[in-house]
């Protein structure tokens, strides 16, 4: 229990910084709703090549609330993924690199229970992240879109999509950390992984839904698709859950027998 | 339960293709202070880290209190105190927080013993851990290792960074723990420490145990240390078996010889000896023989 609380506290500052930055960013984006959703922008964008628009998530209907949110959503999913992958990578690795694992793991603990405490603490951070994004954006929508109607159900699916991607990238980050002996800069791995997937997802959109759609996680929760159909791609949900369960299970098995390198 | 606290059986650990330890076997009896000696990189730390559950052996087994180190690791560690060569902390914590965090893992109440040790080692518990000097960190490490009154204490090069006074206090504490019935496994590359403290010892070299014996009988071995000053003797006069550690500086030479003293005396009898000393070698010098 103490490890859980310690773990929870450890990441608090990082999470607050992430959320403050992202909330500020979304606030600025929504203050421009009136300008960007006008006919003027539609005319300007009409002159752009379609591929360009797709690449930056601008192939959306800016005059509707969820269409407008979809472009932002592309980046929210990306930030969520980086944040989560980073948490996953940091679950056990820093403890080993700062050698406090020598202290912790020689106590009468069972490693799987320890890992559970760490994962639960991180899960709270992930939930906090998705919830804050969900609530703040809802607030901004209410404040800046002039009372335009939108499908709240679809909005909630979008927020769930962010959470699902967080879960996926967290579990991948955790698994990667179990496969390496040490990692000098975890952030570059989490950014690399997330941005890599983002670029592949962009290709997929430009190429009009290829097989990549099945492989690249961000395609599972494409916001423009959710805005149109009111649901996420069901195969995406299934694949995500399978990957999450597999990665977490594999991480437990690997951690159970993990050799903790010594200082000398 | 047998009389062994630790039983290690043919324990091998490979790091990929690199050797960690190779077929290590020894046992530590209940209530003794057992020394584990070897040069750096011989495999002392590897062995100890397997015992405390930080790494897992490639083959072989180790039991503590009759229970398997791997499958029963967590219940065994309830009763093990481990003090690594270099202690690492959660640097942002205060000493007191770290100690009570450590105590929180054990079923028994550790407060009394913890306070005793803190007082004895003169530790300021309100200091932040990252502001401590090396010696003070070490002291906190000692308290962390002992606060739950473990019945097996595993020490990995514990004296590094302790000044002679602290070292004495530390040895006193360890001896008291032994008198209370604890078993101690003590690794070191400094023999005089082991000589002072231990009942028995195992010598490890390049991952293999090369000798297990009483400290007393190793001390008693019939090695003698000869120092001779003589102008006419040459190194080649001492080339047959039985001579070791031969050092020559000008007309001064010194060596170890085990066996009949008369053999040496006959050899030097025809020469004009300027000075000659025969002494018991230190354990270090005996020990060097195993390293070659």
């Amino acid at each position: 229990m103490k490890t859980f609380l310690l773990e929870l506290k450890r990441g608090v500052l990082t999470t607050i910084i992430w959320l403050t930055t992202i909330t500020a960013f979304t606030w600025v984006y929504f203050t421009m709703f009136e300008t960007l959703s006008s006919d003027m922008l539609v005319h300007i964008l009409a002159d752009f090549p379609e591929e360009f628009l797709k690449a930056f998530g601008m192939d959306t209907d800016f005059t509707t609330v969820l269409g407008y949110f979809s472009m932002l959503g592309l980046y929210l999913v990306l930030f969520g993924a980086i944040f989560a992958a980073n948490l996953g990578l940091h679950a056990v690795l820093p403890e080993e690199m700062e050698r406090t694992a020598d202290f912790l793991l020689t106590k009468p603990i069972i490693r799987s229970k320890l890992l559970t405490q760490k994962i639960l603490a991180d899960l709270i951070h992930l939930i906090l992240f998705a919830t804050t994004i969900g609530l703040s954006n809802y607030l901004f929508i209410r404040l800046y879109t002039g009372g335009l109607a939108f499908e709240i159900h679809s909005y909630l699916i979008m927020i769930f999509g962010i959470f699902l991607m967080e879960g996926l990238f967290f579990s991948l980050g955790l698994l990667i950390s179990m496969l390496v002996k040490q990692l000098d800069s975890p952030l570059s791995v989490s950014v690399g992984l997330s941005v890599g997937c983002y670029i592949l997802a962009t290709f997929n959109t430009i190429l009009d839904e290829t097989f990549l759609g099945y492989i690249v996680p961000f395609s599972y929760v494409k916001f423009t698709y959710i805005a149109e159909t009111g649901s996420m791609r069901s195969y995406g949900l299934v694949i995500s859950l399978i990957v999450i369960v597999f990665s977490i299970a594999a991480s437990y098995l690997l951690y159970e027998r993990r050799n903790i390198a010594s200082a000398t | 339960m047998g009389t062994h606290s630790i039983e290690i059986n043919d324990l091998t650990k490979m790091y990929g293709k690199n050797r960690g330890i190779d077929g290590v076997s020894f046992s530590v009896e209940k209530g003794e202070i057992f020394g584990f000696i070897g040069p750096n990189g011989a495999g002392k730390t590897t062995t100890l880290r397997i015992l405390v559950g930080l790494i897992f052996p490639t083959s072989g087994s180790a039991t503590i209190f009759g229970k398997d180190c791997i499958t029963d690791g967590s219940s065994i560690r309830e009763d093990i105190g481990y003090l690594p060569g270099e202690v690492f902390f959660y640097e942002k914590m205060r000493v007191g927080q770290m100690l009570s965090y450590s105590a929180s893992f054990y079923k028994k109440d550790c407060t009394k013993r913890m306070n005793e040790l803190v007082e004895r080692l003169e530790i300021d518990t309100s200091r932040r851990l990252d502001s401590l000097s090396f010696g003070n960190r070490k002291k906190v490490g000692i308290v962390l290792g002992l606060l739950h009154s473990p019945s097996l204490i595993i020490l990995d090069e514990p004296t590094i960074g302790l000044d002679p006074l602290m070292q004495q206090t530390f040895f006193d504490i360890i001896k008291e723990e032994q008198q209370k019935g604890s078993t101690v496994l003590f690794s070191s590359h400094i023999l005089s420490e082991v000589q002072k403290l231990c009942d028995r010892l195992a010598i490890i070299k390049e991952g293999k145990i090369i000798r297990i014996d009483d400290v007393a009988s190793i001390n008693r071995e019939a090695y003698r240390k000869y120092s001779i000053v003589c102008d006419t003797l040459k190194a080649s006069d001492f080339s047959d078996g039985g001579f070791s550690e031969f050092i020559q500086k000008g007309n001064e030479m010194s060596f170890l010889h085990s066996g009949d003293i008369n053999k040496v005396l006959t050899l030097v009898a025809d020469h004009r000896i300027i000075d000659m000393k025969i002494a018991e070698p230190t354990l270090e010098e005996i020990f060097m023989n195993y390293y070659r």
Side-chain angles (χ1 to χ4, degrees):
Chain A
M1 186 63 188
K2 246 188 156 175
T3 308
F4 169 77
L5 292 174
L6 209 68
E7 207 65 23
L8 197 61
K9 211 176 112 192
R10 190 170 61 98
V12 159
L13 190 65
T14 318
T15 305
I16 289 175
I17 293 171
W18 269 91
L19 287 173
T20 313
T21 316
I22 293 175
T23 308
F25 174 71
T26 53
W27 175 66
V28 171
Y29 180 75
F30 271 105
T31 56
M32 298 187 295
F33 180 79
E34 216 169 310
T35 326
L36 292 179
S37 64
S38 68
D39 288 348
M40 184 188 73
L41 182 74
V42 176
H43 286 307
I44 296 173
L45 290 183
D47 292 337
F48 279 75
E50 201 189 337
E51 287 75 14
F52 177 87
L53 296 180
K54 280 180 172 175
F56 294 97
M58 285 146 75
D59 57 330
T60 176
D61 184 359
F62 281 99
T63 56
T64 65
V65 169
L66 292 183
Y68 189 81
F69 180 59
S70 289
M71 180 181 145
L72 179 69
L74 194 66
Y75 299 98
L76 293 179
V77 170
L78 176 64
F79 295 151
I82 297 174
F83 172 77
N86 222 26
L87 268 185
L89 286 166
H90 277 87
V92 297
L93 269 189
E95 195 103 44
E96 287 173 28
M97 293 173 69
E98 289 155 27
R99 314 284 179 199
T100 46
D102 279 18
F103 163 83
L104 195 56
L105 298 181
T106 54
K107 298 284 164 287
I109 44 105
I110 293 169
R111 287 196 187 184
S112 57
K113 283 188 181 164
L114 188 76
L115 188 58
T116 305
Q117 293 197 37
K118 288 183 173 250
I119 290 176
L120 286 179
D122 288 339
L123 182 65
I124 294 200
H125 282 274
L126 296 180
I127 292 173
L128 188 70
F129 186 96
T131 314
T132 310
I133 300 267
L135 290 175
S136 62
N137 278 290
Y138 183 77
L139 180 72
F140 297 145
I141 288 171
R142 284 284 174 233
L143 284 176
Y144 297 109
T145 60
L148 268 182
F150 69 99
E151 195 61 58
I152 186 78
H153 178 72
S154 301
Y155 177 75
L156 289 176
I157 290 177
M158 289 172 176
I159 299 302
F160 172 75
I162 293 177
F163 181 61
L164 185 69
M165 288 301 107
E166 278 189 316
L168 186 67
F169 279 84
F170 172 78
S171 60
L172 287 176
L174 185 67
L175 182 61
I176 290 172
S177 78
M178 296 296 174
L179 293 171
V180 298
K181 277 196 179 125
Q182 53 176 343
L183 212 55
D184 289 329
S185 84
L187 191 64
S188 60
V189 174
S190 51
V191 171
L193 184 70
S194 312
V195 173
C197 286
Y198 169 79
I199 292 170
L200 286 177
T202 309
F203 273 128
N204 183 49
T205 313
I206 295 173
L207 298 172
D208 274 327
E209 302 301 325
T210 63
F211 69 100
L212 277 175
Y214 292 94
I215 302 170
V216 185
F218 295 151
S219 312
Y220 305 163
V221 293
K222 208 174 156 209
F223 278 23
T224 45
Y225 180 87
I226 299 174
E228 268 170 41
T229 62
S231 68
M232 64 177 288
R233 293 181 166 119
S234 49
Y235 68 81
L237 179 64
V238 174
I239 295 174
S240 301
L241 290 177
I242 290 173
V243 173
I244 291 172
V245 169
F246 170 80
S247 306
I248 300 273
S251 298
Y252 269 101
L253 289 176
L254 289 168
Y255 194 53
E256 208 48 51
R257 281 286 177 277
R258 185 172 169 83
N259 289 313
I260 310 299
S262 70
T264 43
Chain B
M1 237 163 94
T3 55
H4 295 315
S5 267
I6 304 176
E7 256 193 291
I8 297 174
N9 221 323
D10 205 16
L11 205 59
T12 297
K13 173 71 185 173
M14 302 292 289
Y15 294 106
K17 281 184 178 165
N18 298 324
R19 165 197 60 77
I21 50 171
D22 184 5
V24 165
S25 302
F26 65 84
S27 52
V28 179
E29 275 157 41
K30 215 180 274 177
E32 74 174 333
I33 302 186
F34 190 90
F36 194 33
I37 292 285
N40 293 327
K44 301 187 295 287
T45 300
T46 299
T47 311
L48 300 188
R49 287 173 82 84
I50 292 174
L51 293 178
V52 294
L54 285 171
I55 56 178
F56 298 89
T58 313
S59 65
S61 69
T63 58
I64 293 180
F65 316 128
K67 292 188 218 166
D68 189 85
C69 259
I70 297 164
T71 52
D72 292 319
S74 77
S75 75
I76 290 172
R77 288 194 295 271
E78 191 76 47
D79 228 1
I80 294 183
Y82 172 60
L83 178 56
E86 204 177 330
V87 210
F88 295 93
F89 304 117
Y90 297 97
E91 299 292 335
K92 284 172 193 160
M93 282 191 190
R94 294 186 187 281
V95 174
Q97 287 172 312
M98 182 84 193
L99 293 177
S100 63
Y101 183 43
S102 181
S104 75
F105 288 99
Y106 299 100
K107 287 190 190 113
K108 61 181 115 173
D109 179 30
C110 310
T111 326
K112 186 168 164 276
R113 183 65 181 143
M114 187 171 93
N115 292 337
E116 274 172 26
L117 288 164
V118 163
E119 209 161 295
R120 176 138 179 210
L121 294 171
E122 295 162 5
I123 295 169
D124 179 359
T125 53
S126 66
R127 293 272 300 270
R128 257 174 70 127
L129 286 157
D130 55 7
S131 73
L132 294 184
S133 67
F134 195 80
N136 279 326
R137 294 172 72 86
K138 203 82 197 194
K139 288 188 199 173
V140 176
I142 295 171
V143 183
L144 286 176
L146 299 179
L147 57 81
H148 53 297
S149 314
S151 56
L152 172 63
I153 302 170
I154 295 180
L155 308 164
D156 190 2
E157 310 256 2
T159 51
I160 297 172
L162 289 181
D163 62 54
L165 270 176
M166 258 324 295
Q167 197 163 325
Q168 196 50 52
T169 315
F170 175 64
F171 283 165
D172 290 345
I173 293 174
I174 295 300
K175 275 186 187 147
E176 286 163 28
E177 292 292 328
Q178 184 200 20
Q179 275 150 21
K180 281 189 248 165
S182 296
T183 310
V184 182
L185 174 58
F186 182 121
S187 100
S188 176
H189 64 275
I190 304 165
L191 265 149
S192 54
E193 287 183 356
V194 172
Q195 215 169 359
K196 234 188 265 177
L197 204 64
C198 299
D199 309 311
R200 290 197 308 140
L201 61 81
I203 299 175
I204 186 169
K205 179 189 173 187
E206 286 165 15
K208 290 192 165 93
I209 298 286
I210 51 175
R211 184 167 181 183
I212 302 170
D213 215 335
D214 294 343
V215 171
S217 69
I218 287 182
N219 281 340
R220 262 201 312 276
E221 249 166 31
Y223 276 100
R224 287 185 188 85
K225 186 185 181 180
Y226 295 82
S227 311
I228 303 176
V229 183
C230 175
D231 290 327
T232 52
L233 274 167
K234 293 182 296 294
S236 56
D237 293 328
F238 304 97
S239 57
D240 63 329
F243 295 101
S244 56
E245 291 300 297
F246 194 91
I247 298 164
Q248 185 167 24
K249 273 186 203 155
N251 62 355
E252 278 184 54
M253 56 201 78
S254 71
F255 52 84
L256 296 183
H257 182 255
S258 68
D260 192 355
I261 190 169
N262 289 302
K263 193 180 162 193
V264 182
L265 294 179
T266 319
L267 216 152
V268 299
D270 297 338
H271 297 269
R272 208 186 98 78
I273 304 293
I274 301 165
D275 190 17
M276 179 162 173
K277 274 181 275 192
I278 305 174
E280 282 220 346
T282 62
L283 199 48
E284 251 92 3
E285 284 160 325
I286 298 173
F287 188 43
M288 284 311 291
N289 279 322
Y290 290 103
Y291 279 181
R292 279 193 274 124

